[in-house]
Amino acid sequence: MARRLSKGSWLLLLGVLLVVIDQVIKVLVKTHMTLGEHFPVLGNWFQILFVENKGMAFGMAFGGVVGKYILTLFRIVLFGALCWWISSLIKRGNVPTGVLVGLTLITAGAFGNIVDCLFYGLVFTESTYDTVATLGSYAPFMQGKVVDMFYFPLWTWPDWVPGLGGHIFFEPVFNFADSCVTCGAIYLILFHWKFFAKE
């Protein structure tokens, strides 16, 4: 009879699967679309829109080149800390599986964006509004841009709404890795806050 995978092993497989899905989507977008190119998936309210960002999630930036190095190092340290935390929780044996899954989602998402920052500048040519990226190089190690593509312009606020009139309800463009981090965090907050309150 085949031996069952340990909890740590299947969490690792889940994390690897999520990172692979993230990277496949990003590489397909990066090598088949020009910057700003888009197409509808479900009407106008869900689109694939290719953009890149130099900094944090949802297109936020942070302190130029030096800030990029600091942000990437911070991501690496955070990733290592999350891996250590998950490993220590597994060893305890009495931690709810949902907590481990939620933390794995966050960890996989963090790693997915780390890959972009570390290697995309070394592996691909620069994407432009006229050309699709190919194999090559556009930036040094740790200075790659993060590929984003999911866009949900659900609705535009009416002009009479103060401060929001004429703006799209949800403007950020994000990627699968961002989704993993966000979904993992929301899931833990909604369903496992008591565990973290005790911790």
Side-chain angles (χ1 to χ4, degrees):
M1 179 180 271
R3 207 179 84 181
R4 290 181 61 190
L5 287 174
S6 66
K7 187 174 287 188
S9 296
W10 69 257
L11 286 171
L12 178 61
L13 285 175
L14 173 62
V16 169
L17 176 63
L18 293 173
V19 172
V20 168
I21 292 171
D22 175 64
Q23 289 301 308
V24 167
I25 294 170
K26 287 174 176 173
V27 170
L28 286 173
V29 168
K30 178 84 174 163
T31 58
H32 289 81
M33 297 177 70
T34 58
L35 273 180
E37 186 178 350
H38 63 95
F39 60 86
V41 178
L42 293 174
N44 286 326
W45 67 270
F46 173 30
Q47 302 175 30
I48 298 297
L49 168 62
F50 177 29
V51 299
E52 292 181 310
N53 78 74
K54 300 177 182 178
M56 299 181 284
F58 302 111
M60 294 181 284
F62 177 73
V65 173
V66 174
K68 178 75 169 178
Y69 280 119
I70 293 171
L71 179 62
T72 303
L73 287 171
F74 172 75
R75 281 176 167 157
I76 292 169
V77 170
L78 178 62
F79 171 75
L82 285 168
C83 288
W84 173 83
W85 192 18
I86 292 170
S87 177
S88 64
L89 290 176
I90 291 171
K91 289 174 183 174
R92 279 171 48 177
N94 62 344
V95 177
T97 300
V99 170
L100 298 171
V101 170
L103 289 173
T104 300
L105 282 169
I106 294 171
T107 305
F111 187 73
N113 284 332
I114 287 171
V115 172
D116 296 32
C117 295
L118 293 181
F119 303 114
Y120 274 33
L122 299 172
V123 174
F124 298 110
T125 58
E126 188 164 14
S127 295
T128 72
Y129 292 99
D130 302 311
T131 58
V132 172
T134 59
L135 292 179
S137 176
Y138 72 84
F141 183 61
M142 295 178 69
Q143 290 293 308
K145 297 174 186 175
V146 176
V147 174
D148 292 325
M149 75 294 296
F150 296 143
Y151 182 42
F152 289 86
L154 299 178
W155 73 78
T156 301
W157 292 99
D159 290 335
W160 54 265
V161 178
L164 297 174
H167 292 277
I168 295 172
F169 166 71
F170 189 72
E171 292 187 278
V173 183
F174 58 98
N175 59 43
F176 186 79
D178 296 332
S179 302
C180 289
V181 173
T182 303
C183 291
I186 291 173
Y187 169 73
L188 291 176
I189 290 168
L190 290 179
F191 299 105
H192 294 287
W193 62 269
K194 288 183 179 179
F195 171 82
F196 292 100
K198 282 195 302 181
E199 288 290 300

